[in-house]
């Protein structure tokens, strides 16, 4: 689907509520499915990825029902049943990597398949630690389809080279059902929703800096309310900062410090976003964000421990940086090449087409601001939801119309995206 976006004549105003966090929605369904008891999950994501997770657990015999569009009831005895047909994870890397940790220790075999993009994403990063735990996984040269032959696992001490929440979660979930302790250490702290939610559901897990240790434990079902997705809010934070005269509030956004790197970067660039009404919900920090247009942003360096805290926001941060004075340098983000697309190569290629001064580096990109975005081009989204939405935000300030090919991929994480933009126009 070709989506056309034109420059806005007025600022964005009003108030929106951001839909549920994708990472937490996946985990809520997974962990409640392997917990004993009945629970209600409120504010579940409408994104296609989270629905892939939900369908797989139904296929594994869990009783999951919708009470309304965003409310689920899950009733489980904590025991999964084999699926005799392959488990289709669609486009979702989180589904594939986390469920592998759960399935590796079952007493049955499973096959996980996915779409073209998912089948290109690296799975060695989870196969390696799971194999060290005694798992038996066949892949196509480190890619899906994955054939997981369930068996008894044992704990390990694993020092990961990557700061990846998907790898960490996979290993901790395998450790939940393994003999002995499992300790996972990462170079920088990646999002910790798994640790927080496992703790909330009663798992024996201890956290010490960038290390987490888990012992075999039973989860007990508990109601979960899912926070708003800061990765979805990021498109609006950037829109508010760059569309002249904007001033609006984004309600109920998850502000977990392992996810809120974009807020720190905006501050580093000299922009003000105000956090209002900060509180806790199901173990996670939440608040409202007031965003106002800012003409005085300055470029900055984004690197090291910043990266896992804003990895999914980097495409839209590139659009923001194009409107900041001076240079913005993103380093140590090579794993962006392994997302739904090669987000370094594709982002640079497409943003150049609309006049943004951006150059690719091996582990990131460099942007020279402040540029008047010219637009007047058709951009390819490479089946990547976050690229499609980032291009749309650039289109809101471009001199000439932008067309985005493959805009329907936004359904992967944020089907409500355009409706919410229209609410603020
Ligand atoms: C996710 C972790 C991140 C992120 C992805 C969701 C998660 O991936 O990019 O969108 O829910 O754990 P990595 O763990 O590969 O960095």
């Amino acid at each position: 689907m070709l989506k056309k976006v034109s420059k806005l004549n007025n600022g964005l105003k009003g108030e929106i509520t951001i839909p549920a966090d994708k990472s937490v929605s996946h985990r809520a369904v997974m962990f409640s499915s392997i917990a004993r008891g009945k629970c209600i999950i409120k504010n579940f994501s409408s994104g296609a990825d989270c629905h892939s997770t939900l369908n797989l657990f139904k296929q594994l015999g869990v009783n999951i029902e919708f009470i309304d569009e965003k409310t689920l009831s899950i009733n489980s005895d904590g025991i999964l049943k084999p699926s005799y047909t392959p488990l289709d994870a669609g486009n979702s890397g989180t589904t594939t990597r986390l469920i592998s940790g759960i399935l590796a220790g079952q007493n049955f075999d499973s096959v996980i398949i996915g779409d073209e993009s998912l089948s290109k994403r690296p799975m060695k990063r989870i196969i390696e630690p799971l194999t060290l735990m005694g798992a038996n996984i066949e892949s196509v040269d480190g890619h899906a389809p994955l054939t997981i032959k369930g068996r008894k696992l044992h704990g390990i001490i694993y020092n990961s080279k990557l700061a990846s929440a998907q790898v960490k979660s996979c290993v901790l979930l395998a450790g939940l059902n393994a003999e002995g302790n499992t300790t996972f250490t990462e170079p920088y702290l990646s999002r910790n929703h798994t640790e927080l939610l496992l703790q909330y559901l009663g798992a024996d897990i201890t956290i010490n800096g960038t290390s987490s240790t888990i012992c075999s434990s039973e989860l007990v079902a508990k109601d979960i309310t899912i926070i708003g997705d800061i990765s979805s809010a990021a498109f609006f934070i950037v829109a508010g900062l760059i569309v002249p005269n904007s001033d609006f509030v984004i309600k109920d956004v998850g502000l977990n410090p392992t996810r809120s790197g974009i807020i720190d970067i905006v501050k580093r660039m000299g922009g003000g976003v105000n956090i209002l009404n900060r509180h806790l919900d199901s173990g996670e920090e939440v608040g409202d964000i007031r965003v106002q247009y800012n003409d005085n942003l300055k470029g900055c360096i984004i690197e090291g421990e910043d990266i896992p805290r804003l990895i999914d926001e980097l495409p839209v941060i590139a659009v923001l940086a194009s409107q900041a004075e001076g240079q913005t340098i993103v380093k140590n983000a090579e794993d962006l090449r392994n997302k739904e697309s090669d987000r370094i190569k594709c982002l640079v290629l497409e943003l150049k087409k609309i006049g943004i001064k951006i150059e690719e580096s091996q582990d990131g990109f460099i942007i020279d601001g402040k540029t008047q975005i010219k637009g007047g081009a058709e951009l390819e989204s490479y089946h990547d939801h976050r690229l499609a939405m980032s291009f749309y935000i650039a289109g809101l300030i471009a001199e000439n119309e932008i067309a985005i090919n493959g805009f329907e991929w936004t359904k992967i994480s944020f089907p409500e995206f355009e409706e919410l933009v229209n609410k603020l126009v």
Side-chain angles (χ1 to χ4, degrees):
M1 172 187 153
L2 196 66
K3 170 65 64 189
K4 295 185 174 163
V5 191
S6 318
K7 184 173 175 173
L8 289 178
N9 296 319
N10 298 311
L12 298 162
K13 304 264 183 204
E15 185 179 290
I16 51 170
T17 301
I18 283 293
D21 190 277
K22 183 159 91 73
S23 288
V24 180
S25 293
H26 282 296
R27 286 159 172 83
V29 166
M30 291 186 180
F31 304 175
S32 303
S33 293
I34 55 170
R36 196 183 284 274
K38 189 170 172 183
C39 72
I40 302 289
I41 297 178
K42 286 192 195 136
N43 194 33
F44 184 69
S45 164
S46 52
D49 270 6
C50 297
H51 283 253
S52 293
T53 291
L54 189 143
N55 290 331
L56 294 201
F57 280 90
K58 278 186 174 172
Q59 214 174 318
L60 291 163
V62 182
N63 180 357
I64 308 180
E65 277 168 24
F66 273 98
I67 296 173
D68 61 41
E69 219 187 328
K70 291 184 173 178
T71 313
L72 299 174
S73 123
I74 301 190
N75 193 358
S76 177
D77 55 8
I79 296 165
L80 302 177
K81 297 185 183 62
S83 165
Y84 297 104
T85 51
L87 298 162
D88 187 353
N91 190 248
S92 177
T94 308
T95 309
T96 309
R97 296 196 179 112
L98 270 62
I99 207 175
S100 296
I102 295 174
L103 294 174
Q106 301 293 324
N107 58 4
F108 56 80
D109 300 348
S110 310
V111 176
I112 308 174
I113 58 171
D115 71 7
E116 203 185 312
S117 145
L118 186 68
S119 308
K120 287 190 195 137
R121 298 183 66 184
M123 294 297 155
K124 273 197 185 122
R125 56 184 63 192
I126 56 155
I127 296 174
E128 189 184 285
L130 289 177
T131 305
L132 290 172
M133 296 179 82
N136 183 330
I137 303 177
E138 285 166 16
S139 68
V140 182
D141 196 23
H143 301 91
L146 303 178
T147 302
I148 301 182
K149 301 196 169 140
R151 55 197 51 199
K152 194 80 205 127
L153 305 179
H154 53 82
I156 49 166
I157 295 177
Y158 194 71
N159 289 313
S160 175
K161 287 195 277 311
L162 280 175
S164 159
Q166 293 182 355
V167 176
K168 171 172 65 178
S169 305
C170 170
V171 172
L172 293 176
L173 287 167
L176 187 64
N177 192 19
E179 211 174 271
N181 294 353
T182 297
T183 299
F184 185 92
T185 305
E186 52 189 344
Y188 302 118
L189 192 59
S190 64
R191 63 190 69 189
N192 64 358
H193 303 301
T194 292
E195 297 92 303
L196 295 183
L197 195 53
L198 285 176
Q199 252 170 1
Y200 178 74
L201 299 178
D204 186 352
I205 177 168
T206 48
I207 303 157
N208 186 2
T210 60
S211 290
S212 302
T213 300
I214 196 162
C215 313
S216 167
S217 28
E218 240 191 34
L219 303 183
V220 180
K222 232 168 144 181
D223 293 348
I224 300 168
T225 300
I226 296 169
I227 53 177
D229 197 327
I230 191 162
S231 299
S232 299
F235 300 106
F236 290 90
I237 294 174
V238 171
L241 287 163
I242 67 174
V243 175
N245 299 318
S246 294
D247 185 355
F248 59 89
V249 172
I250 315 172
K251 303 262 310 164
D252 298 333
V253 184
L255 294 170
N256 180 320
T258 63
R259 289 285 296 283
S260 56
I262 184 161
I263 308 272
D264 300 338
I265 291 307
V266 169
K267 282 194 190 137
R268 207 177 286 169
M269 289 181 148
V273 286
N274 294 320
I275 312 286
L276 318 162
N277 189 24
R278 217 182 247 272
H279 63 282
L280 273 182
D281 209 336
S282 304
E284 292 275 1
E285 277 182 49
V286 193
D288 302 336
I289 301 178
R290 180 173 176 198
V291 197
Q292 288 164 291
Y293 172 64
N294 190 317
D295 197 21
N296 287 310
L297 299 174
K298 307 268 176 297
C300 69
I301 296 178
I302 305 173
E303 62 183 339
E305 64 185 344
D306 296 330
I307 301 298
R309 299 178 61 237
L310 45 64
I311 185 79
D312 293 338
E313 289 66 81
L314 285 168
V316 79
I317 287 176
V319 176
L320 177 66
S322 77
Q323 301 310 301
E325 206 69 55
Q327 217 169 48
T328 295
I329 305 174
V330 174
K331 298 186 212 172
N332 313 124
E334 50 276 83
D335 210 35
L336 267 188
R337 296 192 184 276
N338 296 314
K339 298 293 176 188
E340 286 83 333
S341 67
D342 176 339
R343 280 192 184 148
I344 296 180
K345 184 170 151 223
C346 300
L347 181 73
V348 170
L349 202 68
E350 299 305 304
L351 290 187
K352 275 186 171 178
K353 288 186 191 166
I354 53 172
I356 291 181
K357 292 182 196 129
I358 179 166
E359 292 302 331
E360 177 175 351
S361 65
Q362 173 264 325
D363 65 346
F365 46 84
I366 300 164
I367 293 178
D368 277 307
K370 176 176 193 169
T371 319
Q372 170 60 57
I373 299 180
K374 292 203 172 51
E378 183 175 321
L379 304 190
E380 180 54 54
S381 63
Y382 303 91
H383 301 182
D384 184 331
H385 53 129
R386 297 200 202 280
L387 290 187
M389 290 184 276
S390 302
F391 299 155
Y392 188 105
I393 299 302
L396 299 179
I397 57 163
E399 256 168 61
N400 303 297
E401 189 180 79
I402 286 180
I404 305 160
N405 197 18
F407 193 72
E408 67 280 9
W409 284 88
T410 52
K411 73 178 185 310
I412 287 295
S413 62
F414 198 2
E416 307 85 347
F417 171 72
E418 203 180 15
E419 187 190 318
L420 290 183
V421 175
N422 290 334
K423 214 176 152 199
L424 295 174
V425 171

